[in-house]
Amino acid sequence: MKIIVIGDIIEDNHYFCRSYKEIEENTKYAYKIEKEINSLGAAGNVANTICSLLMEEQVDILFFTSCNESTQIKILPLPRIQYTKHPTIVRNRYYTENENLKWKLDLRIDRYDDLYLKTSVNHKELTECISRNDIIVISDYRKGFLSKDDIKKIISIGNKNKCKILVDTIELDDCYKNCTYLQLKNINMRHYFRDHLKLEDWRTVERKFLIKEIAKNFNCNIIVTNSSDSIIYFDGKNIYSKKFYNPKQFSCSLGAGDAFLSGLAIAAYKNKKSIHDYVEIADKYATMSTTFIGTTQLVNNKMIDQITLAT
């Protein structure tokens, strides 16, 4: 069984700081960094997590992504890596302790080169990569590495080769039609109806109706996260709702979407048939990631198996 991970790679830098308010200017703060953690986000986190959790399975993973050479060496050893030579997207996160002595996200700064948006993917090379794989995982943060035409091409080739195609995106668009599983955040789903279908009262429309309409238009299984307490998903016939797993200690939601997508990929690798199984596995992975601060590569299946349902 072969897996290809495609998408943006992001360097996540987490700085744990003491903050000091400037005396003369009450609105400014100075940060003294006491600890620094560097990790890969987006497709980098997804590829690393899949690799770690399937290490004993000797899974063959191909990584087609965007990063420079210095970032490439931070990825776990993979059989083959394709990458474009341009600056890697960087996200800086600054944390300070609150009154309960817990770290909280205080400041976020993102950086990427404008030239990045002009990068084009070699379709011949991409086609060759996809045709040799069974599972296609697309982590699309809409930073410019993949154009809409690229994504349509990927899904078209994947369907011709009878691949399972798993997509996580922060911006819903028609280019994702005909994938196998589409992972969405609730707000992005509603924006699609506002911007594309011109549904004027989209804010008051029940989520179940929106999910059915998207599934009908996109011809795929829909999984919607980021609601208040549950995951809502649609298998083409029925709408289901599942409460999120409840971690023993919640720390941070950063990277939970990457972990959820990794869980979907592992469910596909294990040849699970039911959408219920996909959601169950993905939810456990996402829940485990929230017990850590920042984007964290998961490595312990036993800990994940011990997660219990929220009451």
Side-chain angles (χ1 to χ4, degrees):
M1 185 77 73
K2 296 183 178 181
I3 301 174
I4 180 170
V5 179
I6 306 173
D8 303 288
I9 195 170
I10 298 174
E11 278 195 31
D12 283 336
N13 301 315
H14 306 280
Y15 301 104
F16 299 87
C17 316
R18 300 292 178 191
S19 63
Y20 302 92
K21 185 177 289 188
E22 295 288 348
I23 297 175
E24 294 182 1
E25 299 183 48
N26 231 13
T27 58
K28 292 185 177 180
Y29 285 80
Y31 290 94
K32 181 182 179 182
I33 298 173
E34 297 189 341
K35 182 181 177 182
E36 177 180 345
I37 297 177
N38 308 111
S39 57
L40 292 183
N45 190 19
V46 173
N48 277 349
T49 297
I50 294 172
C51 260
S52 295
L53 294 169
L54 292 179
M55 193 69 75
E56 296 178 0
E57 306 283 345
Q58 295 183 336
V59 60
D60 185 6
I61 293 184
L62 174 66
F63 197 44
F64 195 101
T65 188
S66 54
C67 65
N68 55 25
E69 293 183 38
S70 64
T71 303
Q72 185 194 12
I73 63 175
K74 298 179 182 179
I75 304 170
L76 287 177
L78 302 179
R80 185 178 176 194
I81 299 173
Q82 305 290 330
Y83 63 97
T84 54
K85 295 181 179 178
H86 57 69
T88 305
I89 301 169
V90 178
R91 297 187 298 197
N92 295 316
R93 305 287 185 270
Y94 296 85
Y95 301 86
T96 56
E97 282 187 329
N98 61 19
E99 60 276 5
N100 297 320
L101 300 180
K102 291 184 177 181
W103 295 104
K104 65 178 182 67
L105 181 62
D106 206 42
L107 180 65
R108 166 179 173 165
I109 301 175
D110 294 356
R111 175 180 62 80
Y112 61 94
D113 196 319
D114 290 340
L115 293 176
Y116 181 63
L117 299 174
K118 299 177 182 179
T119 301
S120 59
V121 173
N122 185 320
H123 278 205
K124 181 180 179 181
E125 187 177 36
L126 183 58
T127 300
E128 291 174 355
C129 292
I130 294 172
S131 61
R132 295 193 298 272
N133 289 270
D134 307 291
I135 300 169
I136 301 171
V137 182
I138 303 175
S139 175
D140 187 22
Y141 275 63
R142 307 302 293 153
K143 299 294 187 182
F145 171 59
L146 295 173
S147 69
K148 294 178 182 180
D149 287 340
D150 293 334
I151 294 168
K152 287 180 181 178
K153 183 78 171 178
I154 292 167
I155 294 175
S156 176
I157 297 169
N159 283 322
K160 286 180 181 178
N161 288 278
K162 298 182 179 179
C163 300
K164 294 176 182 176
I165 307 167
L166 317 172
V167 178
D168 175 27
T169 180
I170 63 169
E171 182 182 324
L172 183 59
D173 191 272
D174 289 338
C175 63
Y176 302 110
K177 288 182 177 180
N178 300 311
C179 65
T180 311
Y181 285 91
L182 182 59
Q183 175 185 334
L184 302 173
K185 293 179 176 61
N186 185 45
I187 188 65
N188 298 335
M189 179 181 65
R190 291 175 178 269
H191 284 175
Y192 177 83
F193 272 80
R194 181 194 64 190
D195 299 336
H196 293 265
L197 300 187
K198 308 303 180 185
L199 192 63
E200 294 181 1
D201 58 344
W202 65 277
R203 291 183 183 275
T204 61
V205 175
E206 188 178 10
R207 282 180 298 179
K208 292 182 179 181
F209 169 79
L210 298 182
I211 293 171
K212 284 185 177 180
E213 286 299 303
I214 289 177
K216 183 171 66 176
N217 282 289
F218 279 68
N219 188 33
C220 64
N221 296 285
I222 301 290
I223 302 173
V224 180
T225 59
N226 204 33
S227 59
S228 58
D229 62 353
S230 63
I231 303 165
I232 299 176
Y233 55 101
F234 183 63
D235 65 356
K237 294 182 179 180
N238 300 303
I239 290 280
Y240 301 94
S241 179
K242 176 191 179 300
K243 283 190 174 183
F244 284 122
Y245 278 97
N246 186 24
K248 291 182 178 179
Q249 181 179 355
F250 177 87
S251 295
C252 177
S253 62
L254 287 175
D258 298 339
F260 196 97
L261 181 59
S262 301
L264 294 180
I266 289 175
Y269 177 82
K270 293 182 177 180
N271 204 27
K272 297 295 183 181
K273 303 297 183 183
S274 167
I275 190 173
H276 305 292
D277 293 332
Y278 275 76
V279 171
E280 182 80 8
I281 293 171
D283 185 22
K284 285 188 175 183
Y285 281 65
T287 300
M288 176 54 66
S289 76
T290 65
T291 63
F292 302 95
I293 292 180
T295 48
T296 303
Q297 172 193 319
L298 303 178
V299 296
N300 194 326
N301 273 307
K302 290 183 179 179
M303 290 176 65
I304 292 170
D305 291 339
Q306 292 173 358
I307 294 174
T308 56
L309 274 171
T311 55

